Amino acid sequence: MEASHVLVVHSDPALRRVAAGAIGRNGVRISFAASDDEGLLLLEQQRVHVLVTGWDLYGLGNEFVRRAATIQPLLGVVLIGDASRIGHLAQRGSSGPVQYLAKPVTEESLRLAIQRALQRQTRPESSARPATEVAPTADDRRPDATGKCSPIVAVSKAMREITEVSRRAALTDAPVLIQGEPDTGKETIAREIHRQSRRSAGPFVRVACGTLRETDLAERLFGSGESSREDKGHPSRTLFEKAHQGTLFLDNVADLPPWAQAMLLEGLQQRRCVCPGSNREVALDVRVIASSETDLHAAAARRAFSSSLYYYLNIIQIVVPPLRHRPQDIRPLVEMYLAMANAMRANQAVGPPCRFSEDALACLSEYEWPGNILQLASVVAHTVLLADREEIGRASIAETLGEVTPPSDSDTIAVPLVGGLKEMERAIIEAVIERCRGNKAAAARALRLHRRTLYRMLQDEPAAKNNGAPLPYIESPSVSDSAAGLLC
């Protein structure tokens, strides 16, 4: 019989010692990781039954638990946080996929939480369905040759075509470039290509290119003289080495600086790389899938991205349309997230399952969804978790979204021809924010700007309007954002 395996992902050594004391005496195998990247890599390589981690890794900040559940859907979770953050959840307890523990954590409390999570793993399959699993319908998800169902909802013609291209791409080792707006499901498609490929037994290593600091970018990707030295008897490994015989997913590859693009292309073409600062040569047996939120063809044409790297990555191209361009997929996605939210209601004894009225479903279908799938999941979670009745009507949806109107056919924005360039820029930004229902993050994505850049441009208002001081623009997380982090 397979030994139970608990993975503790936390940077606090004291908590890791408590976990070792709680688990070590019960015949349960335990592994430790100090960061989300290490934890996800281990989840790719080994079967894990229970994940113990902290609240800071659980929310929308880096979507750690959401990605972990994508890798291993039956994963149980023990979530540890400050009493002020999760105290009310911890007092309720849970026999579902998530156990809540408020600090300070004792060996006994942690042992009991892990024990409850492990008990869920041994229940009959009918009662051990994960909170993130929804029975597929005949229209959206069909079993593949292995009998497993694709996690991609594909009712619209565009998404059906994407699933077919993904299936054919999985038969090859050719590079794949997946382009589309944020939160359209690019990583899900990349994981599905890996799952259906001959490399499925190997690791799937995700590299968030925009989060890598330039100071350690070369070291993380290719190694360096500093990183090549042995640490506790084990030589450090680059991300390429960790993805050996598997798939390397370069998320937002356009965020790589030009020199890193050149190094990446050299390594991929030569299928080996010589680590900077050392003579160590590393052979590469890696399939590369890259994603981008920007049009790399246009970026290469204006020399904002390496044209050579673009042509290398663009052997197979998949362009994922935004949710507003595939409204046929909205209802099945709503049903999927509704099932997740109802599972959360049942686990936390919030109330009986909810359902959406036809009018509410029509309201959701009419919305433009500037935040794409993540925004949809957030709205469904927020509405269901706070519902005080079994049927949710249009009014509840409208209260969350604001007044919902059918999509506008006009893509034009009126700009006043007075003032300077900064005033015109500000008018455009404010118009886009208004179209995004006040969501500045969505407006930044629509304008292809970093959020900090958008805030800075908004703060550049004439000083006379604020007595010479810049206006503060602070975006606080909404209840919807938090709910999406729990369910997506």
Side-chain angles (χ1 to χ4, degrees):
M1 182 177 176
E2 181 186 16
S4 298
H5 186 191
V6 175
L7 171 61
V8 180
V9 181
H10 211 285
S11 58
D12 184 358
L15 188 140
R16 298 214 251 171
R17 286 194 294 271
V18 170
I23 301 168
R25 298 192 297 270
N26 293 281
V28 176
R29 188 159 66 96
I30 183 171
S31 299
F32 295 98
S35 68
D36 55 348
D37 286 340
E38 292 179 25
L40 291 172
L41 182 60
L42 195 148
L43 285 164
E44 290 284 356
Q45 297 172 339
Q46 301 180 33
R47 172 76 169 99
V48 174
H49 298 87
V50 177
L51 171 67
V52 178
T53 188
W55 178 274
D56 56 329
L57 291 178
Y58 193 80
L60 284 176
N62 57 26
E63 304 174 327
F64 170 60
V65 172
R66 181 178 72 86
R67 299 212 311 270
T70 300
I71 300 169
Q72 298 198 26
L74 289 173
L75 188 69
V77 176
V78 176
L79 173 63
I80 299 170
D82 294 332
S84 60
R85 300 289 299 275
I86 64 171
H88 63 294
L89 298 173
Q91 290 169 6
R92 289 180 181 177
S94 173
S95 59
V98 181
Q99 310 291 321
Y100 300 94
L101 283 182
K103 294 179 180 178
V105 176
T106 65
E107 290 188 9
E108 181 63 16
S109 64
L110 183 56
R111 184 187 64 79
L112 290 174
I114 293 172
Q115 188 178 59
R116 286 193 295 267
L118 287 173
Q119 286 172 351
R120 174 178 171 269
Q121 301 285 332
T122 59
R123 293 176 191 168
E125 186 175 353
S126 61
S127 63
R129 294 177 67 86
T132 55
E133 183 181 333
V134 179
T137 65
D139 291 331
D140 53 26
R141 293 184 289 173
R142 297 176 174 84
D144 61 15
T146 66
K148 296 181 179 179
C149 289
S150 168
I152 303 172
V153 172
V155 176
S156 64
K157 180 182 177 182
M159 290 306 296
R160 291 200 305 271
E161 291 175 350
I162 284 175
T163 56
E164 176 59 21
V165 173
S166 300
R167 184 191 64 80
R168 286 183 285 168
L171 301 176
T172 76
D173 269 352
V176 179
L177 176 60
I178 307 174
Q179 299 192 102
E181 291 182 7
D183 303 318
T184 50
K186 298 186 290 296
E187 183 177 344
T188 301
I189 294 170
R191 288 187 181 276
E192 184 63 10
I193 293 173
H194 172 75
R195 186 180 71 84
Q196 295 187 36
S197 73
R198 68 176 182 86
R199 295 176 176 270
S200 59
F204 180 95
V205 178
R206 175 182 178 270
V207 182
C209 298
T211 64
L212 292 174
R213 300 192 305 270
E214 290 205 13
T215 53
D216 64 1
L217 182 56
E219 179 180 335
R220 293 289 303 281
L221 282 175
F222 305 102
S224 67
E226 180 69 15
S227 70
S228 63
R229 72 174 188 268
E230 294 194 353
D231 181 14
K232 296 183 180 178
H234 298 284
S236 61
R237 297 195 303 161
T238 67
L239 290 168
F240 271 107
E241 292 174 278
K242 291 178 180 178
H244 181 64
Q245 297 183 339
T247 301
L248 184 70
F249 177 51
L250 300 171
D251 195 11
N252 284 333
V253 68
D255 290 339
L256 289 176
W259 61 267
Q261 295 173 25
M263 289 181 67
L264 175 62
L265 178 63
E266 175 71 14
L268 294 174
Q269 287 179 328
Q270 300 298 324
R271 305 196 69 80
R272 63 176 60 87
C273 62
V274 178
C275 299
S278 75
N279 294 321
R280 183 164 62 96
E281 190 173 85
V282 179
L284 301 180
D285 179 13
V286 174
R287 197 262 181 86
V288 174
I289 301 178
S291 76
S292 175
E293 296 175 358
T294 61
D295 184 347
L296 286 191
H297 182 271
R302 63 177 186 270
R303 298 186 178 181
F305 188 81
S306 166
S307 58
S308 298
L309 180 57
Y310 166 70
Y311 291 126
Y312 182 93
L313 296 173
N314 195 42
I315 303 300
I316 299 175
Q317 182 181 122
I318 297 174
V319 179
V320 188
L323 195 53
R324 63 184 174 276
H325 291 169
R326 45 186 174 108
Q328 302 91 336
D329 293 326
I330 292 177
R331 285 207 177 195
L333 284 168
V334 168
E335 291 170 3
M336 183 171 72
Y337 292 121
L338 174 63
M340 294 182 190
N342 277 330
M344 183 70 74
R345 283 175 66 92
N347 291 333
Q348 301 302 323
V350 174
C354 295
R355 63 183 181 275
F356 287 112
S357 69
E358 276 301 314
D359 203 23
L361 288 170
C363 180
L364 290 165
S365 298
E366 291 168 359
Y367 190 59
E368 292 184 341
W369 300 111
N372 290 302
I373 294 174
L374 187 59
Q375 185 190 12
L376 175 64
S378 173
V379 168
V380 172
H382 171 74
T383 308
V384 172
L385 293 177
L386 298 183
D388 56 1
R389 61 191 66 185
E390 293 186 26
E391 182 171 270
I392 299 172
R394 186 184 186 101
S396 297
I397 301 297
E399 184 180 350
T400 303
L401 289 175
E403 186 61 34
V404 179
T405 56
S408 171
D409 293 328
S410 174
D411 289 325
T412 61
I413 293 176
V415 179
L417 296 177
V418 293
L421 181 60
K422 286 187 180 296
E423 285 75 18
M424 296 174 68
E425 287 178 343
R426 187 179 180 87
I428 293 172
I429 291 172
E430 289 175 342
V432 173
I433 291 174
E434 183 177 354
R435 289 194 176 190
C436 293
R437 311 298 197 273
N439 187 327
K440 296 186 181 68
R445 289 195 293 267
L447 291 166
R448 304 293 170 87
L449 294 174
H450 194 284
R451 275 187 293 180
R452 286 197 296 269
T453 303
L454 181 138
Y455 293 170
R456 178 178 53 76
M457 294 173 74
L458 286 171
Q459 288 172 338
D460 285 340
E461 192 174 23
K465 292 188 178 183
N466 196 36
N467 297 324
L471 292 174
Y473 279 84
I474 301 173
E475 185 179 12
S476 58
S478 65
V479 175
S480 300
D481 292 335
S482 302
L486 294 175
L487 300 179
C488 299

